Amino acid sequence: MQNARYHGRFAPSPTGHLHVGSARTALVAWCAARRSNGLFTIRVEDLDEPRTVPGMQDAQLNDLEWLRIDWDAGPKIGGPHGPYIQSLRHEHYQAALDQLYRQETLFPCKLSRKDLRELASAPHERQSPYPRSLRPAHVQPGWYAEPHNDAAIRLKVPHGRIAFYDQVCGAHEENVAVEVGDYVLKRKDGVFAYQLAVVVDDLHMGITEVVRGQDLLESTARQLHLIDTLGGELPSYAHVPLVLNAQGDKLSKRDASLSLASLRERGISAKCLVGYLAWTIGLLPEARPVSPGELVDHFDWSLIQGRQHWIVPEDLIEMLSSSVTLRRCSAT
Ligand code: GLU
């Protein structure tokens, strides 16, 4: 019987082929949902049109099917809270934005990225924080109802620390007002921001646990604040360690040889890949060929806690090509 309480998801952006890093995160998210007899949803995050690559949505779904990761709601099969493709969900994002406007938490911002960079006192790794002092002193009444092509819409972030517990990373807290400031919910070009879309969708779809890569840990405090402002129930979070290339960078399109499509073309079996990835993140004591279903019974967050990012070894492909080597690699 399915546990109606647990509802997990995997939400890839169709900007390229799935690589071994996204596959590992999807595997963990799927195992967590199946371990709880829960539901698993796939959502396509294609709002950033210039970054979306035609054909990648289908390619990514094929990759998931190849791994034997299934879903209860999502593209191809639909479900009660569809559509599951963000570019078809604008009305949901607009309704949330309208609510936030009525709550007097929004304001228009005409500053460009360049203006913001110049205003920042020190170079900052992330986009420069947007301090409260930059909020416009006067806003034209009715600004929200009029077309605002030349302005982004930002959320007024109150001061205060936001603390949460992450299933993998443990206790975490952030003062969003200081570290990020008033952030954008709708860009100047009319595109709804990731932070808004993800929160609206997770709430609407009834997601109870968000499992994703650790590169998004820093978005969580913003999302918790936004959910709270919208009056929704907070999910729990699990941010999974990343897979890095030999240079120690996050995998990207440049690491084409580590895409699932490329591994499949080289004749590597899905079971070998799943077993190997599961071993690298602690879900198996040794790397042996398995299907995702064989990992479910022993899945536990404690197996992943405290693990570092994993750097792909140079000889990954050779290792995956032979299940004998695959067995041996766990002994080293
Ligand atoms: N679409 C995001 C990505 O592919 C994931 C967003 C999320 O899981 O919250 O990196």
Side-chain angles (χ1 to χ4, degrees):
M1 220 188 69
Q2 283 188 325
N3 170 359
R5 277 292 307 151
Y6 191 104
H7 193 156
R9 49 66 156 192
F10 178 62
S13 304
T15 54
H17 283 287
L18 286 189
H19 49 60
V20 291
S22 23
R24 199 171 78 144
T25 304
L27 190 63
V28 172
W30 184 89
C31 285
R34 295 303 181 224
R35 178 76 186 110
S36 304
N37 287 319
L39 296 168
F40 191 60
T41 285
I42 298 289
R43 181 170 76 228
V44 175
E45 301 208 326
D46 61 345
L47 283 185
D48 199 350
E49 221 188 293
R51 291 185 61 236
T52 296
V53 178
M56 281 307 132
Q57 181 182 313
D58 287 342
Q60 292 185 339
L61 297 174
N62 286 344
D63 286 340
L64 292 173
E65 285 170 340
W66 177 68
L67 291 171
R68 295 202 180 281
I69 287 180
D70 65 347
W71 52 98
D72 307 297
K76 286 184 164 182
I77 58 171
H81 305 295
Y84 292 90
I85 298 172
Q86 286 193 327
S87 56
L88 304 176
R89 297 179 57 81
H90 283 202
E91 74 219 52
H92 293 278
Y93 313 135
Q94 191 58 53
L97 205 65
D98 292 349
Q99 178 189 333
L100 293 166
Y101 171 71
R102 290 193 299 275
Q103 291 173 227
E104 299 182 7
T105 57
L106 302 180
F107 66 95
C109 166
K110 295 192 176 177
L111 295 179
S112 65
R113 275 171 199 249
K114 188 165 161 275
D115 295 335
L116 286 169
R117 264 198 307 274
E118 279 163 11
L119 283 163
S121 52
H124 198 281
E125 262 206 2
R126 296 199 301 200
Q127 211 178 321
S128 319
Y130 184 100
R132 182 182 285 234
S133 56
L134 287 183
R135 282 183 201 163
H138 302 286
V139 178
Q140 200 75 20
W143 68 272
Y144 187 76
E146 283 151 26
H148 24 257
N149 296 338
D150 58 342
I153 298 180
R154 286 182 185 265
L155 180 74
K156 295 178 195 165
V157 176
H159 270 287
R161 302 197 75 81
I162 295 175
F164 62 95
Y165 179 82
D166 186 275
Q167 300 273 32
V168 177
C169 306
H172 198 82
E173 66 167 33
E174 190 176 327
N175 189 333
V176 180
V178 172
E179 292 180 41
V180 183
D182 297 334
Y183 54 95
V184 172
L185 294 186
K186 194 173 185 186
R187 297 188 333 207
K188 267 187 197 181
D189 59 6
V191 174
F192 292 103
Y194 158 72
Q195 305 293 353
L196 178 71
V198 83
V199 156
V200 168
D201 289 346
D202 284 341
L203 282 178
H204 181 237
M205 294 173 186
I207 301 302
T208 60
E209 184 159 87
V210 172
V211 179
R212 57 190 176 195
Q214 267 174 28
D215 50 336
L216 288 167
L217 182 65
E218 301 301 329
S219 284
T220 307
R222 264 172 280 176
Q223 292 174 14
L224 285 169
H225 167 251
L226 198 47
I227 294 171
D228 204 40
T229 311
L230 287 167
E233 218 172 293
L234 304 176
S236 58
Y237 290 87
H239 288 87
V240 178
L242 304 178
V243 175
L244 307 177
N245 64 19
Q247 289 72 45
D249 298 322
K250 236 182 82 179
L251 297 187
S252 69
K253 274 185 223 160
R254 266 166 312 191
D255 303 292
S257 64
L258 297 175
S259 74
L260 299 199
S262 153
L263 296 178
R264 196 165 51 230
E265 261 169 39
R266 284 164 165 262
I268 285 160
S269 88
K271 281 186 158 190
C272 278
L273 179 63
V274 166
Y276 190 81
L277 293 177
W279 169 66
T280 65
I281 202 160
L283 300 186
L284 274 184
E286 76 282 319
R288 59 182 164 84
V290 291
S291 64
E294 292 170 73
L295 299 169
V296 172
D297 282 352
H298 301 289
F299 179 85
D300 195 280
W301 286 118
S302 64
L303 298 170
I304 302 179
Q305 282 155 5
R307 286 190 176 262
Q308 305 296 313
H309 301 319
W310 175 63
I311 298 184
V312 180
E314 302 274 354
D315 59 349
L316 175 79
I317 292 162
E318 291 77 64
M319 210 136 55
L320 289 174
S321 308
S322 140
S323 56
V324 179
T325 335
L326 185 65
R327 274 202 194 92
R328 220 180 291 138
C329 70
S330 54
T332 59

